[in-house]
Amino acid sequence: PWVDRISADTWRYLLLGLTLPVVGWAGRHFYIRAWQGIRHRAADMNTLIALGTGAAFLFSLATTIVDDWFVARGVSPQVYYEAVVWIIALVLLGNLLEVRAKARTWGALRGLIALRPATARVVRDGIESVIQLNKVRPGDELVVRPGESIPADGIILHGTSHVDESMLTGEPLPVRKQAGDTVIGATLNRNGAFHFRVTGTGQSTVLSQVVRLVREAQGSKPPIQRLADRISAVFVPVVILLALATFVVWFVTGPVPSYLHGLVAAVTVLIIACPCAMGLAVPTAVMVATGRGAELGVLIKGGEALERTGDIDVVVLDKTGTVTEGRPAVRSVQLVSHSAWTEGQVLQLAASVERLSEHPLGEAIVAETERRGLPLIPVREFTTSTGNGVTALVDGHQVVVGRRLFLEEHGVPSKVWLREEVSDQGQTPVYVAVDGSPAAIIGIADPLRATSAAAARSLRQLGLELVMLSGDDRRTAEAVARMIGVDRVVAEVQPAGKLDEIRRLQAEGKTVAMVGDGLNDAPALAQADIGIAMGGGTTVAVEAATITLMRSDLRGVVDGIALSRRTMRIIRQNLFWAFVYNIIGIPLAAGVLYPRFGVLLSPAIAAAAMAAS
């Protein structure tokens, strides 16, 4: 009963007092941004919110201060303060939901950063001590005990353990680590102790690079976002014109007081048409997708890469280090008939030459020779032909090691070689000749990754064409391709040949993804529509790629493509429903149902509908 004893004037001033903090403080940025947009001749969501709530607030302010003027003209002084408050509150609620979505995408990274210890156990001059993490420098020797987080990136010097890298790579099982293996800062050491040499601290660590890439990706715009922005730039002025037209129609044809009905209908049109859904449809999806990709160990460099990945037609796989583990080893040594050399002597001569080469197959020959305890012999007149072979004088003998064609170029006849059973077994043949005569074929095998066949099968199920590139001879490459189920093989290609193959596929109108890990893959990765670098690859390959897999597993390619396709489907659905909502909502707000059904939407209901969209 006491409510009835308070005058309408008092209520209006009370509501004004409650609304001012909402307009002047909580929602002030809407008006500031709208004014900045008008100064730059641009209109966006803030323009519609500012116009709608501003018109409702100013009209209510006028009826509060000069209510007698309205009464004298037969108009009851109505106020719409509650609509202003509801509109701003609901838009802010939408902003809050957006921020929460963004916060969730950073949850995994924040959790990983939180695992980074504040201190590190360092060994200097043979003395072990504990120092602050920010005092650790590259080259320091650190000690990690069971259950501790690894302080920085580095290479294990001695000791073995299993390291949980799941927060960074998405790999659920701990990874065995031993001397020579790399470790990543902030990952968790499980059950062993080891010493490692620091290679990266601060901003140079893998973790910092992951955070930077995810932040850049979430701040970038895919092409579909630019389309949505262009539509919004036209949409906002059109809505303003529709609101003005609504006011005019109500003013001319509406019931008394027609201008009041016209004003409320115009404000309702402005509010219900706020393109919140349109503005959030793309960036929120990109934000969540790139964050989810980081959780899966798939780093996507930007919104454009995210969008284009879903359009891939062909996936080109480099063999060594991608399909295989990239750890070649000698499996057999076949001596040529009537060879004057023993198996050990051939290995010793070949390894002495290959010691000066950086080719992975050469490293395998050197490693096998060292395993057998055979000493290496000094060489003279060493020459190399990248990807083909090497020559040198070893203990007075001219030794040539490499491809069959390379040996033919050096005058070694090819018809005397044995039948290449090693190629049929998936081994790469390396030919060795001494003093112009064939000596032996060394069979080198690089084991397949355990997940390569399953990943290839999943890629085919996605409707993708698979091509495998290899510098190996054709029979070896085809044997590996049969093992994983790839039909098309391009073998015996140099780095330039890989680049040409990518260009040829693109000339056929196909969208091509290249997956590689080595220095020689960098040109092809850069040329491909989407370059995907394996996490264990070289820095050059990772920099040239648009997607980096934090784990050396081809299933990451499947995850990346599936994530892109699902994200783009969600984005298109978001934009579709945003437009459908406006096509239905604007006529309702304008009062199209009023003549027949007497139904009108209030600005507050329009604000609720806009936020719900």
Side-chain angles (χ1 to χ4, degrees):
W2 62 269
V3 172
D4 292 335
R5 294 195 292 270
I6 300 175
S7 67
D9 280 347
T10 303
W11 276 120
R12 283 193 287 269
Y13 278 103
L14 177 61
L15 292 173
L16 173 60
L18 293 172
T19 306
L20 278 173
V22 178
V23 173
W25 178 70
R28 68 188 184 283
H29 61 280
F30 295 126
Y31 306 100
I32 294 171
R33 292 172 186 170
W35 174 246
Q36 291 171 342
I38 292 171
R39 287 177 58 192
H40 293 90
R41 298 181 181 179
D44 58 10
M45 183 178 72
N46 295 301
T47 308
L48 295 185
I49 295 172
L51 283 174
T53 58
F57 178 77
L58 292 175
F59 178 82
S60 301
L61 181 64
T63 56
T64 299
I65 297 174
V66 291
D67 56 322
D68 293 341
W69 186 87
F70 288 91
V71 172
R73 286 158 178 77
V75 178
S76 175
Q78 300 285 343
V79 292
Y80 295 92
Y81 293 122
E82 83 291 343
V84 174
V85 171
W86 267 109
I87 290 164
I88 292 175
L90 288 168
V91 174
L92 290 176
L93 174 62
N95 293 344
L96 173 64
L97 296 176
E98 178 188 3
V99 171
R100 287 185 62 188
K102 187 172 184 177
R104 282 197 299 272
T105 68
W106 281 94
L109 292 178
R110 279 201 304 271
L112 185 56
I113 292 170
L115 288 176
R116 190 162 49 191
T119 60
R121 193 173 287 105
V122 66
V123 178
R124 290 175 178 167
D125 300 324
I127 301 173
E128 184 177 315
S129 60
V130 176
I131 63 173
Q132 293 297 312
L133 184 61
N134 58 12
K135 294 182 180 179
V136 174
R137 298 290 179 265
D140 282 343
E141 180 180 340
L142 301 185
V143 182
V144 182
R145 295 175 178 173
E148 293 181 343
S149 294
I150 298 173
D153 295 357
I155 298 176
I156 295 179
L157 298 174
H158 53 85
T160 60
S161 183
H162 286 78
V163 177
D164 183 355
E165 299 178 342
S166 59
M167 289 286 286
L168 193 63
T169 66
E171 180 62 49
L173 298 177
V175 180
R176 177 175 169 78
K177 299 287 185 178
Q178 57 190 6
D181 289 341
T182 59
V183 289
I184 301 172
T187 53
L188 184 63
N189 181 36
R190 285 292 188 187
N191 55 7
F194 58 85
H195 289 227
F196 74 98
R197 182 80 63 195
V198 175
T199 58
T201 60
Q203 296 302 312
S204 65
T205 61
V206 170
L207 174 61
S208 296
Q209 292 169 9
V210 169
V211 172
R212 175 178 57 81
L213 286 172
V214 174
R215 182 178 289 117
E216 289 174 356
Q218 292 187 339
S220 65
K221 291 184 178 182
I224 197 169
Q225 173 67 66
R226 292 192 283 271
L227 173 63
D229 289 344
R230 287 196 297 271
I231 293 172
S232 294
V234 175
F235 175 77
V236 173
V238 168
V239 169
I240 294 173
L241 291 175
L242 288 174
L244 290 173
T246 299
F247 176 80
V248 170
V249 171
W250 275 97
F251 183 77
V252 173
T253 64
V256 176
S258 60
Y259 68 90
L260 182 58
H261 286 290
L263 178 63
V264 172
V267 169
T268 305
V269 168
L270 290 172
I271 295 303
I272 205 168
C274 282
C276 288
M278 201 182 305
L280 297 177
V282 178
T284 304
V286 169
M287 195 163 47
V288 174
T290 50
R292 176 60 180 153
E295 292 176 13
L296 294 171
V298 180
L299 296 186
I300 303 171
K301 297 181 181 178
E304 183 170 359
L306 178 66
E307 180 173 342
R308 297 200 70 185
T309 300
D311 298 330
I312 290 171
D313 303 310
V314 182
V315 176
V316 178
L317 304 171
D318 176 58
K319 182 179 81 68
T320 304
T322 302
V323 173
T324 63
E325 293 184 357
R327 295 198 302 269
V330 173
R331 301 299 182 193
S332 63
V333 180
Q334 293 187 3
L335 297 175
V336 174
S337 300
H338 309 298
S339 173
W341 305 93
T342 66
E343 183 177 308
Q345 289 172 327
V346 169
L347 275 174
Q348 191 176 26
L349 291 171
S352 298
V353 180
E354 290 286 7
R355 178 170 56 88
L356 301 178
S357 167
E358 294 182 354
H359 196 282
L361 299 183
E363 293 175 358
I365 295 173
V366 174
E368 177 64 16
T369 305
E370 292 175 345
R371 188 185 68 80
R372 296 190 183 195
L374 301 173
L376 299 181
I377 305 170
V379 304
R380 295 184 294 113
E381 300 180 18
F382 173 83
T383 60
T384 180
S385 174
T386 303
N388 291 308
V390 292
T391 66
L393 278 175
V394 185
D395 199 18
H397 299 285
Q398 182 68 36
V399 179
V400 184
V401 185
R403 297 173 182 269
R404 176 186 284 202
L405 291 177
F406 180 72
L407 270 69
E408 287 181 4
E409 293 172 2
H410 284 75
V412 180
S414 63
K415 59 184 178 182
V416 298
W417 294 106
L418 293 171
R419 184 176 176 271
E420 300 169 24
E421 292 90 350
V422 293
S423 297
D424 296 331
Q425 297 167 6
Q427 298 178 14
T428 301
V430 176
Y431 300 88
V432 183
V434 183
D435 295 328
S437 299
I441 301 174
I442 301 175
I444 299 177
D446 186 6
L448 283 176
R449 294 189 188 277
T451 57
S452 292
R457 187 165 54 250
S458 297
L459 289 170
R460 289 196 304 273
Q461 289 172 352
L462 291 174
L464 299 169
E465 177 184 349
L466 298 184
V467 178
M468 192 181 80
L469 297 182
S470 176
D472 283 342
D473 71 288
R474 175 163 294 280
R475 293 170 68 180
T476 302
E478 288 177 345
V480 172
R482 284 194 298 272
M483 294 177 191
I484 66 170
V486 174
D487 297 325
R488 184 173 174 185
V489 178
V490 181
E492 300 178 3
V493 290
Q494 301 299 309
K498 294 181 180 181
L499 182 63
D500 292 339
E501 180 65 18
I502 299 296
R503 287 173 174 165
R504 189 185 66 75
L505 289 168
Q506 290 173 327
E508 295 176 3
K510 296 177 178 177
T511 303
V512 181
M514 168 70 187
V515 189
D517 75 318
L519 180 64
N520 61 353
D521 298 325
L525 288 169
Q527 175 64 36
D529 298 282
I530 296 295
I532 303 175
M534 303 291 278
T538 65
T539 302
V540 175
V542 171
E543 288 296 325
T546 45
I547 294 178
T548 300
L549 305 181
M550 295 306 298
R551 64 184 191 272
S552 296
D553 186 343
L554 280 176
R555 289 178 298 181
V557 180
V558 181
D559 291 339
I561 294 173
L563 181 66
S564 171
R565 289 184 175 180
R566 184 175 182 187
T567 303
M568 294 312 301
R569 183 169 67 248
I570 289 172
I571 286 174
R572 293 186 182 102
Q573 289 172 353
N574 288 351
L575 292 174
F576 172 79
W577 287 112
F579 283 114
V580 168
Y581 156 81
N582 280 295
I583 290 171
I584 297 172
I586 289 175
L588 292 176
V592 70
L593 297 179
Y594 183 80
R596 184 174 180 84
F597 302 103
V599 175
L600 281 174
L601 297 183
S602 75
I605 293 176
M610 179 271 296
S613 73

